[in-house]
Amino acid sequence: MWNMFVSYLPDWTVFLQALIVVSIPYVLSRIMSMTKNAADSNIKQDDQEANPQRDFSGKLDNDLDRMRTEFGDQADLNIRTFCLGNTNQQAAILFVNGISDRDLIDKHILKSLMVDLALVGHERGRDASSPPFTKQYLKNNVLSVGVVKEVDRFTDLSSELLRGHTALLLDNSNGSVIILGTRKEITRSAGEPSSEILVRGPRLGFNESICDNTTLLRQHGEKTNLTITQLRVGQRVTKELAIVYIKDIADENLVQEVRERVERMNLDDIQDTGYIEQLIEDNYLSPFPQVQSTERLDRVISALMEGRVAILLDGTPFVLTVPTTFNMLLQSPEDYYERWIPGTLVRMLRYFAAFVSTFGPSLYISFISFHQGLIPTKLALSIADTRAGVPFPSLIEVLIMEIALEILREAGLRLPKPIGQTIGIVGGLVIGEAAVQAGIVSPLMVIVVAVTAISSFAIPQYNAGIALRILRFIAMIFAATFGLYGVVLFFLLLCSHLSKLISFGVPYISPAVPYRLQDWKDFLVRAPFKLMKHRPKMMNTKDPLRRK
């Protein structure tokens, strides 16, 4: 059998040799074709880079017809054709009603191109037979507008028009369009932020205009080294975004990391900085906010002075500061406006309120259900007497009141302001009293829930309060399952999660972990300003000293 197989082997070898010989020309031809296509592609790309194709022909009538076709039936798009000065040279401007400044267009564009140019031309003897005006001449000698640039792509033109700018087209031009800055700003005045009220301190906050917000930072912050980097975000609806930092304080690696994360965002429309916060945070599964959001100007300036980076977005008054640590969420600017002793007392009170807001109901459940022996005798008898007619276990009792309270809180936020305050206060009192009278919950339970709710109101940052409210329900389940041991277990799991959490390379619970004694001067306590000579060491700033 083997001999037979070997006897056939030469025939197969000859067949393979013939197949290879036949295939060589085809393979060579394919290689040459691919090489030629690659070379042609490179040449074509080089030609396009050297001589980019323009979307505009330079003929005014053709370009206007194409724009009408591309834009379609847009009622707010204005197209105004006219002649330059006292010549026959045709021109046209395009702008969108409402978002463009009509007074600026009438007084500084149309008047300059039609009236002033005619007077200059008459003095210089220009008439219809004179050479046409060039774009360079119009930009340098006629147009009295701050922003003047040229675009040669239709997509760029449409983007500029929708931002409120005006497009100027000339007949027999070189195929580009002049863009004139005529954006009309519709903003509200900078007033006191409604979400972050202070007893003592500045009453100035941001508004929805990124131009106004950067101006506020320039006026009230560091002026020499304050660096503002402008970007455009959004695929379909583009908006201006600014990355702000102090050049001689902030770490360059931090600034670069922030810029890279912002540039990686890929959404059609970014309505608020809340979108940005969710796209650039390190751990999206954590309930804790890893980016601080604020409307207060003084809070942002203080963060910049510590070496942090601020992110501003056009259309929203909320500014992001990164990196963020947990202790920043429990601090208020008012801590620094008062003397260090009351500032320290109030800050420590907030930490206690955060603990009560998270673990108050769970401790009640664990003591009532599992560890009655740890309660003093007289108090235990009083609690047993008030719970005699309650038909539900402690977990169900707490859930009824907590869920009712959360619904009232949400209803108070969504209703008109005068009605919302009434619903929140009166509704809680009525429901609590009715529940006690009906024997559904005990009076002590109502007190525990009320203290927990009041403690959650002491958290300065709203999103931090939401995180603690979520964790409160998880802690209640642990307490109902394992008792006080479950509360301790949940606390350890929470500490483990916080110790692993990072915000832009900075540990979330720094300076507690890793331990930095120098930064404890502005952690649980607020030390006197005479002792706070250094910036936070965790920020790795270029200039570590606050004052020399």
Side-chain angles (χ1 to χ4, degrees):
M1 194 68 164
W2 174 254
N3 293 333
M4 293 178 61
F5 176 75
V6 173
S7 63
Y8 284 108
L9 188 60
D11 296 335
W12 284 103
T13 304
V14 173
F15 174 75
L16 291 174
Q17 291 177 351
L19 182 62
I20 292 173
V21 171
V22 173
S23 303
I24 285 176
Y26 174 76
V27 173
L28 291 177
S29 64
R30 292 294 298 172
I31 293 174
M32 294 177 64
S33 176
M34 292 172 62
T35 305
K36 182 179 179 181
N37 291 337
D40 293 341
S41 177
N42 292 333
I43 294 173
K44 184 177 181 181
Q45 183 177 0
D46 294 339
D47 292 341
Q48 289 180 349
E49 293 178 354
N51 300 304
Q53 295 182 358
R54 301 178 184 272
D55 290 344
F56 304 102
S57 63
K59 299 296 183 181
L60 184 61
D61 293 337
N62 296 337
D63 292 338
L64 291 179
D65 290 340
R66 186 194 171 182
M67 289 181 189
R68 293 187 181 97
T69 303
E70 295 285 350
F71 278 108
D73 187 14
Q74 300 290 345
D76 56 351
L77 178 64
N78 274 7
I79 300 177
R80 171 75 160 86
T81 58
F82 57 93
C83 293
L84 294 178
N86 56 348
T87 68
N88 293 330
Q89 185 178 355
Q90 295 288 322
I93 60 170
L94 290 81
F95 61 92
V96 178
N97 282 332
I99 60 176
S100 299
D101 192 339
R102 290 293 297 269
D103 291 338
L104 184 61
I105 294 173
D106 293 340
K107 296 178 181 178
H108 295 273
I109 297 178
L110 288 176
K111 183 175 179 295
S112 298
L113 295 174
M114 298 176 67
V115 180
D116 297 342
L117 200 59
L119 296 176
V120 174
H122 179 73
E123 293 176 357
R124 298 183 180 181
R126 293 184 60 93
D127 53 17
S129 61
S130 302
F133 291 102
T134 63
K135 293 180 180 178
Q136 197 68 23
Y137 177 80
L138 296 179
K139 291 193 297 183
N140 295 338
N141 302 88
V142 180
L143 296 170
S144 56
V145 181
V147 178
V148 180
K149 60 182 180 180
E150 291 188 39
V151 298
D152 53 14
R153 296 290 181 183
F154 181 79
T155 54
D156 297 334
L157 170 64
S158 60
S159 176
E160 297 292 343
L161 288 176
L162 295 177
R163 291 175 59 194
H165 297 323
T166 299
L168 172 62
L169 286 76
L170 302 179
D171 194 17
N172 297 321
S173 64
N174 59 358
S176 63
V177 176
I178 301 176
I179 300 298
L180 307 172
T182 58
R183 182 177 180 179
K184 183 179 181 181
E185 297 287 345
I186 304 176
T187 60
R188 61 181 176 89
S189 60
E192 183 178 5
S194 59
S195 60
E196 299 173 85
I197 303 297
L198 297 183
V199 177
R200 179 179 182 179
R203 297 291 189 263
L204 198 58
F206 296 109
N207 60 16
E208 286 75 16
S209 172
I210 190 172
C211 182
D212 293 348
N213 295 338
T214 54
T215 302
L216 288 175
L217 289 174
R218 289 286 188 192
Q219 289 179 349
H220 299 273
E222 207 274 2
K223 299 176 176 60
T224 305
N225 294 299
L226 184 67
T227 304
I228 301 176
T229 304
Q230 294 276 0
L231 299 174
R232 297 198 63 80
V233 294
Q235 299 298 318
R236 291 183 178 272
V237 180
T238 58
K239 290 186 177 181
E240 292 184 5
L241 179 144
I243 299 175
V244 184
Y245 59 95
I246 298 179
K247 184 170 56 177
D248 60 340
I249 297 179
D251 184 13
E252 294 180 357
N253 295 328
L254 172 62
V255 176
Q256 183 63 26
E257 178 68 19
V258 173
R259 185 182 182 94
E260 290 177 357
R261 294 193 189 187
V262 169
E263 290 177 345
R264 284 199 299 264
M265 295 188 307
N266 186 16
L267 284 180
D268 286 344
D269 180 23
I270 299 179
Q271 289 286 341
D272 185 77
T273 50
Y275 288 56
I276 303 174
E277 177 182 354
Q278 299 173 62
L279 291 172
I280 66 175
E281 62 183 356
D282 290 80
N283 187 352
Y284 66 92
L285 297 176
S286 175
F288 293 97
Q290 298 140 59
V291 179
Q292 188 179 42
S293 175
T294 180
E295 289 183 88
R296 297 198 62 86
L297 173 65
D298 53 347
R299 189 188 287 270
V300 174
I301 293 177
S302 299
L304 295 176
M305 290 298 176
E306 291 183 346
R308 306 183 194 275
V309 179
I311 302 174
L312 289 75
L313 180 68
D314 192 24
T316 175
F318 289 93
V319 177
L320 304 180
T321 56
V322 293
T324 300
T325 56
F326 180 73
N327 65 298
M328 291 175 59
L329 304 177
L330 298 179
Q331 293 178 359
S332 172
E334 200 169 5
D335 297 348
Y336 304 94
Y337 303 146
E338 297 289 350
R339 297 179 65 250
W340 72 275
I341 295 178
T344 298
L345 177 62
V346 173
R347 180 176 295 183
M348 296 181 69
L349 191 63
R350 289 196 205 101
Y351 278 94
F352 177 74
F355 179 82
V356 172
S357 175
T358 307
F359 294 100
S362 59
L363 290 174
Y364 171 83
I365 293 172
S366 61
F367 281 112
I368 294 298
S369 302
F370 293 92
H371 309 286
Q372 299 88 348
L374 297 177
I375 305 175
T377 304
K378 292 184 178 181
L379 180 59
L381 293 175
S382 176
I383 294 174
D385 183 55
T386 57
R387 284 185 52 81
V390 178
F392 302 112
S394 57
L395 176 62
I396 303 300
E397 183 185 9
V398 174
L399 285 176
I400 290 174
M401 289 303 300
E402 286 290 343
I403 292 175
L405 183 66
E406 293 297 328
I407 294 174
L408 282 173
R409 191 200 304 259
E410 186 66 18
L413 288 175
R414 306 307 163 197
L415 288 172
K417 191 173 182 179
I419 304 176
Q421 294 177 352
T422 306
I423 291 294
I425 298 173
V426 177
L429 294 174
V430 171
I431 291 179
E433 181 67 21
V436 172
Q437 293 294 332
I440 298 176
V441 298
S442 64
L444 181 60
M445 180 67 256
V446 176
I447 295 175
V448 171
V449 172
V451 172
T452 303
I454 294 172
S455 299
S456 66
F457 294 147
I459 309 300
Q461 293 285 313
Y462 177 73
N463 51 1
I466 294 178
L468 297 181
R469 284 154 56 187
I470 295 172
L471 295 174
R472 182 193 309 160
F473 287 92
I474 303 177
M476 288 161 51
I477 296 174
F478 271 78
T481 307
F482 304 106
L484 192 59
Y485 170 76
V487 177
V488 176
L489 177 62
F490 175 73
F491 178 75
L492 294 176
L493 291 175
L494 184 60
C495 292
S496 175
H497 170 70
L498 288 174
S499 63
K500 294 180 180 179
L501 204 58
I502 292 177
S503 175
F504 286 83
V506 175
Y508 195 63
I509 54 175
S510 181
V513 178
Y515 178 74
R516 293 187 179 94
L517 180 60
Q518 176 181 312
D519 292 346
W520 276 65
K521 297 175 183 178
D522 194 20
F523 182 33
L524 296 176
V525 300
R526 203 278 283 174
F529 284 121
K530 292 182 179 180
L531 301 179
M532 297 172 61
K533 298 180 181 180
H534 296 83
R535 306 184 200 276
K537 190 175 181 180
M538 59 185 173
M539 295 303 303
N540 192 27
T541 56
K542 296 178 181 178
D543 183 8
L545 295 178
R546 295 180 187 267
R547 63 186 184 92
K548 308 303 180 184

